[in-house]
Amino acid sequence: MTDTDDSSTPVQEPVVLKEGKKKKKKDKKKSRLNDADTVDGGNYHEEKGHKKKRSSRDSEEVLVENTATIMEETTDNDKQQKREKKRKKKKDKKRKHSIDAPLQDDEDSSSSCNNDKKSKKKHKKSTKRSKDKKETDEKLVSSSAIEYYPEDLNENNEKQATNTNSEVSSSTKPKDKTDNITLLLFYQYVEPVWDETQFQTALRFVTDQGEKHGLTGRMRVSREGLNCTLTGSHDGIRAWCAALRQFDGGRPKVDPLTGDTTTEFANTEFKLTDDLPPKQRFPKLHPFEVPELVNYGLAGSRAPALAKHGGTHLEPEDYHQKMCEKDTVIIDVRNHYEANIGRFDPPEGGAKMIDPKMRKSTEFPLWLDRKETKEMLRGKNVLMYCTGGVRCEMASALLKQKIDKEEDTKELGIKGVFQLQGGVDKYFKQFPEGGLWKGKNYTFDKRFAHAPPALEAVERTKKVLGDDDDGVLDSSKPASTTQGKEKKVDDIPASAAQEIMGKCEACYKPWDMYRGKRRCPTCGVPSLICRDCFEADKAGTKKLGKDVRCDLCVTEDVRNKRELRDREGREMKKYEKKLQQKLDDDYEPPEPKPNPERITRLFLKNMCAKQMDESKLLELVRPARVTHIQWLIDRQTKKFYGSAFIEVKTAEDAGSVLAMDGMVVMGRKIKVKYQQADSKDIWPIPNTEVSSS
């Protein structure tokens, strides 16, 4: 007999006994009826019909009672069986635990028993996020948005919470909620750049993985690499990063020293900020194709080689020390409206700050080429920084390329070109109290702008609790502890967290928050408008007219869009002429593609219809020799729409032209493919010969 058989045999026994008792009761009732019939027969016969009905009703009630009691008893027995099985399982678990677990003191065992209920309640949260789990990825730089709350204000918060409303404490310091989000900033250039097939493979991969792990945000995907700002869950973000580590981009590499296979993103640095509120999550995932990771106007053959000309990367500690040295300049590679609300402020006798006063990144190459700019860099160490580091990559490489190849830049005697590794975002993680930073850091995510994390904590807390009487926090008490290292906020002035660098463009009072969709009516950059002026404009009491311009337009006395556009056009034309001459001198044609069928006719599309002409097309495909060009014209407008057929002299020429497929030319990615002429077509078409052939 098995264990289940032993447990089932005693179950039916009491049911049978009870059924026997019910039958005895039924027989007694029948005997009473018979006795009543003999003793008082006349009365019985008078009520015969009523008695018969009553007896049948009684028998039915007895039958129902019997079946109900049987079912209740069987269900009770089933429950009893389940309870016994559960008890056995618990006993087995306890036996295993007592065998495997080390011996404990009585106090420890009793405390563990008392904490059983608490551990059960916290089980769900601990499974969703393993907060105490150490990061295994050395290139994953993470921090928490809630870890730098000063102890002084926390104690004050607790006192007020006991005296007033408990909601004060919860609104001041966010709790560790599982629905908080993680923000990811990262970029990675790839060299050599991806071809069209590799690019499409990378685009599909990052998109599919993003959807798989529930990420949202922006993915700038180019043949140059990736530049992403993403939000998601704590574990979802890290899982996506781990998957990207393993992605080989369609072309795995072998380390020449170790012989191990590496990937495109093996050394990518991911910068994470945990515990941000859910409202700062991006609404959806938006991967999109771009010619450049940063729009400098240096796509394709114009881009300097990063491996050859890239600047020296300095970690935040080294960069911090470098800013204190003499004969050093710091170039803020960000736009002026970003620098307007926050920037580095080196100590006296240290580096000198330079703001290029750009409205957009395409202005940087022009600014770097000016004589007055070069004079500021003469004999200096040049430091560069931006929000996350990506803008410094091309900026530093462009300057070093000029030093290597242009005589007027080489003679300046620039000592070195350095850039801040990880940008301001990583600097804040290393210097949570701000270091040499002043003001707020403009961001392109849902934070919009933020102070260094320790100061941000002070500012948020003071909005609820008000200013302290002494105005200085006690530095003897730790602000937080991270990975076993105690971090302190060293005498942070109460006013430092609220220091404002910018001014409202309408009323000129201190202001540093960009809000709303208003832009400068002259140049189109975001407008810095205070809340009072914004509300007054909305109510109609004080209109923000065209005279309310950004401070850069006011300084340069730019009053309309046309004036600005004409000035930029003249500067760009001059720069383009010089750049084209340099490209002609340094041109290296791409490696030709195979052409087994020896086709000499090609189809090109997606060219810039406004700028492309015969001379530019011949220059584009050089050294391939083009004999005929058929410009395709729209039948209705009779205008060229960006596509053409060309004939080249040899199959090798055709292979070199095909290698340009996917290249960005004049801001557009051109498409090139072999197009064999049909036997019925007349090709080449008369009057399509190029003038130089």
Side-chain angles (χ1 to χ4, degrees):
M1 296 285 288
T2 62
D3 294 338
T4 53
D5 293 336
D6 290 334
S7 61
S8 61
T9 48
V11 174
Q12 300 295 332
E13 214 166 344
V15 176
V16 174
L17 291 172
K18 289 185 178 181
E19 284 181 352
K21 291 180 180 179
K22 293 288 181 181
K23 288 181 179 179
K24 288 180 180 179
K25 289 181 179 180
K26 197 174 182 180
D27 294 338
K28 286 181 180 179
K29 286 183 178 180
K30 288 182 179 179
S31 62
R32 287 195 200 102
L33 291 173
N34 292 330
D35 293 338
D37 189 11
T38 54
V39 174
D40 194 7
N43 293 334
Y44 177 75
H45 286 289
E46 291 176 356
E47 300 175 356
K48 188 176 182 179
H50 179 69
K51 292 285 183 181
K52 284 183 179 180
K53 289 180 182 179
R54 183 186 298 174
S55 62
S56 62
R57 193 184 301 123
D58 291 338
S59 62
E60 289 176 359
E61 288 176 357
V62 170
L63 183 61
V64 171
E65 288 177 0
N66 290 339
T67 54
T69 52
I70 293 171
M71 291 182 70
E72 287 177 359
E73 290 168 355
T74 52
T75 53
D76 291 339
N77 290 326
D78 291 339
K79 289 180 180 179
Q80 188 176 359
Q81 286 180 0
K82 289 180 180 179
R83 291 193 196 99
E84 289 176 357
K85 288 181 181 180
K86 286 183 179 180
R87 289 193 192 104
K88 287 182 180 180
K89 287 182 180 180
K90 286 183 180 179
K91 288 180 181 178
D92 293 338
K93 286 183 180 179
K94 286 182 180 179
R95 288 194 196 104
K96 290 180 181 180
H97 181 71
S98 62
I99 295 170
D100 297 336
L103 294 175
Q104 295 180 345
D105 295 335
D106 293 337
E107 292 179 2
D108 294 338
S109 60
S110 61
S111 62
S112 62
C113 294
N114 294 332
N115 293 329
D116 281 343
K117 294 182 179 179
K118 294 182 180 179
S119 62
K120 287 179 181 179
K121 290 180 180 179
K122 294 182 179 179
H123 178 68
K124 292 183 179 180
K125 289 187 178 180
S126 63
T127 55
K128 288 185 178 180
R129 172 179 170 182
S130 53
K131 184 180 178 182
D132 297 331
K133 188 178 179 180
K134 293 183 179 180
E135 303 290 357
T136 57
D137 193 338
E138 295 180 355
K139 288 287 185 177
L140 197 149
V141 184
S142 63
S143 65
S144 172
I146 62 174
E147 66 179 329
Y148 295 108
Y149 281 79
E151 190 68 24
D152 298 57
L153 295 178
N154 289 339
E155 291 176 0
N156 191 9
N157 180 25
E158 291 175 1
K159 291 178 183 178
Q160 288 199 7
T162 56
N163 297 331
T164 59
N165 196 340
S166 61
E167 293 181 358
V168 175
S169 61
S170 62
S171 62
T172 304
K173 183 174 181 179
K175 296 180 180 179
D176 182 28
K177 296 181 179 179
T178 55
D179 58 349
N180 283 352
I181 66 164
T182 295
L183 172 70
L184 166 65
L185 303 178
F186 93 96
Y187 68 91
Q188 180 64 60
Y189 280 93
V190 296
E191 284 187 336
V193 298
W194 288 321
D195 60 25
E196 188 62 21
T197 302
Q198 293 164 345
F199 165 77
Q200 294 296 338
T201 301
L203 179 59
R204 285 193 301 270
F205 179 84
V206 296
T207 304
D208 294 344
Q209 288 294 318
E211 293 174 349
K212 176 182 177 181
H213 296 292
L215 306 192
T216 58
R218 294 187 295 267
M219 295 178 175
R220 291 176 63 89
V221 188
S222 167
R223 294 180 68 180
E224 297 177 339
L226 300 176
N227 182 16
C228 302
T229 303
L230 302 171
T231 54
S233 66
H234 175 275
D235 295 334
I237 286 285
R238 285 161 172 79
W240 188 87
C241 293
L244 191 61
R245 281 267 190 260
Q246 305 301 320
F247 176 64
D248 60 11
R251 51 179 191 188
K253 300 178 181 179
V254 178
D255 191 325
L257 299 177
T258 62
D260 297 333
T261 302
T262 60
T263 65
E264 298 277 12
F265 302 94
N267 296 312
T268 301
E269 184 175 80
F270 299 106
K271 299 181 290 295
L272 279 65
T273 303
D274 296 316
D275 299 315
L276 290 171
K279 66 181 181 180
Q280 292 186 6
R281 178 191 288 270
F282 285 104
K284 63 179 181 179
L285 183 65
H286 182 39
F288 54 99
E289 178 182 345
V290 291
E292 302 175 78
L293 295 188
V294 179
N295 186 20
Y296 279 122
L298 299 174
S301 59
R302 296 184 171 201
L306 297 181
K308 184 178 180 180
H309 301 296
T312 303
H313 293 68
L314 296 179
E315 291 295 327
E317 301 93 333
D318 300 325
Y319 194 91
H320 182 89
Q321 294 297 326
K322 205 76 174 174
M323 287 192 289
C324 301
E325 297 179 2
K326 295 181 179 180
D327 297 327
T328 303
V329 294
I330 305 173
I331 301 177
D332 191 337
V333 188
R334 304 173 303 158
N335 298 317
H336 175 70
Y337 65 85
E338 301 173 63
N340 193 27
I341 64 171
R343 52 193 175 272
F344 280 116
D345 185 24
E348 187 176 352
K352 179 184 177 182
M353 278 296 306
I354 299 177
D355 181 6
K357 297 187 184 300
M358 302 180 295
R359 293 175 173 85
K360 50 190 176 183
S361 296
T362 50
E363 298 176 9
F364 182 79
L366 283 73
W367 175 83
L368 197 60
D369 202 50
R370 294 172 184 166
K371 290 182 180 180
E372 54 269 27
T373 301
K374 294 177 181 178
E375 287 301 319
M376 287 189 289
L377 309 183
R378 184 179 293 275
K380 307 292 186 182
N381 278 312
V382 179
L383 306 182
M384 296 184 180
Y385 77 92
C386 59
T387 307
V390 64
R391 284 180 275 188
C392 291
E393 295 290 347
M394 279 295 173
S396 63
L398 183 61
L399 177 56
K400 288 197 69 176
Q401 185 186 58
K402 285 178 172 292
I403 295 172
D404 294 341
K405 295 188 175 183
E406 297 180 12
E407 291 298 328
D408 60 342
T409 308
K410 186 182 297 185
E411 63 90 17
L412 295 175
I414 296 174
K415 297 178 181 180
V417 180
F418 307 90
Q419 64 188 79
L420 177 57
Q421 173 65 32
V424 180
D425 185 81
K426 189 175 182 181
Y427 184 87
F428 279 3
K429 296 181 190 305
Q430 188 63 38
F431 295 92
E433 75 286 355
L436 295 176
W437 183 266
K438 192 175 183 180
K440 291 187 177 178
N441 180 36
Y442 184 94
T443 63
F444 295 91
D445 52 61
K446 293 294 183 179
R447 294 175 297 177
F448 302 109
H450 65 97
L455 301 184
E456 187 87 354
V458 176
E459 184 177 5
R460 289 181 180 176
T461 308
K462 287 183 177 296
K463 286 181 180 179
V464 177
L465 302 181
D467 294 334
D468 287 340
D469 295 334
D470 56 1
V472 179
L473 301 181
D474 184 3
S475 63
S476 63
K477 297 182 180 181
S480 65
T481 303
T482 304
Q483 296 181 357
K485 295 181 180 180
E486 189 179 89
K487 295 186 178 181
K488 294 183 179 180
V489 181
D490 299 326
D491 293 331
I492 301 173
S495 59
Q498 300 170 353
E499 189 171 3
I500 298 175
M501 302 290 291
K503 293 182 179 180
C504 174
E505 296 169 7
C507 67
Y508 304 108
K509 80 172 184 180
W511 191 256
D512 60 4
M513 295 299 290
Y514 288 97
R515 288 291 185 269
K517 297 182 179 180
R518 188 186 190 277
R519 293 181 173 269
C520 175
T522 305
C523 66
V525 302
S527 290
L528 190 58
I529 305 295
C530 71
R531 183 180 290 105
D532 293 338
C533 293
F534 183 81
E535 293 295 336
D537 177 71
K538 190 175 180 180
T541 58
K542 181 182 177 181
K543 282 296 180 182
L544 300 175
K546 292 185 178 181
D547 58 322
V548 179
R549 299 166 291 160
C550 69
D551 68 325
L552 195 55
C553 285
V554 173
T555 304
E556 297 176 350
D557 195 26
V558 178
R559 297 186 175 277
N560 56 70
K561 293 181 180 179
R562 185 173 182 178
E563 181 182 347
L564 180 64
R565 188 167 54 248
D566 291 345
R567 191 192 74 179
E568 290 178 344
R570 290 192 300 268
E571 293 178 351
M572 183 61 72
K573 188 175 182 180
K574 184 179 179 180
Y575 174 76
E576 285 286 344
K577 186 177 180 180
K578 183 178 179 180
L579 180 62
Q580 189 59 48
Q581 182 63 42
K582 185 179 75 70
L583 292 175
D584 291 343
D585 297 338
D586 301 338
Y587 180 76
E588 295 179 4
E591 184 179 351
K593 294 289 184 179
N595 188 3
E597 297 182 10
R598 312 292 295 175
I599 299 172
T600 57
R601 182 177 184 247
L602 299 103
F603 175 66
L604 288 76
K605 70 174 184 177
N606 202 35
M607 295 181 286
C608 181
K610 293 182 178 180
Q611 301 182 44
M612 185 61 70
D613 56 25
E614 182 177 302
S615 61
K616 291 180 180 178
L617 181 58
L618 295 177
E619 185 65 32
L620 174 65
V621 301
R622 191 172 63 86
R625 296 155 295 176
V626 180
T627 60
H628 296 76
I629 302 176
Q630 180 190 359
W631 305 100
L632 300 184
I633 308 299
D634 186 88
R635 293 182 180 180
Q636 295 181 352
T637 62
K638 306 298 181 184
K639 293 182 179 180
F640 169 60
Y641 59 84
S643 298
F645 289 102
I646 65 171
E647 180 73 19
V648 296
K649 281 192 175 183
T650 65
E652 289 72 22
D653 288 335
S656 65
V657 176
L658 186 65
M660 300 174 62
D661 180 44
M663 183 180 293
V664 178
V665 180
M666 300 175 184
R668 300 177 68 88
K669 181 186 285 189
I670 63 171
K671 303 289 184 180
V672 184
K673 66 177 182 178
Y674 293 129
Q675 190 73 48
Q676 182 71 277
D678 193 280
S679 57
K680 298 179 181 179
D681 295 338
I682 299 175
W683 183 259
I685 297 175
N687 302 322
T688 59
E689 299 88 352
V690 299
S691 57
S692 59
S693 61

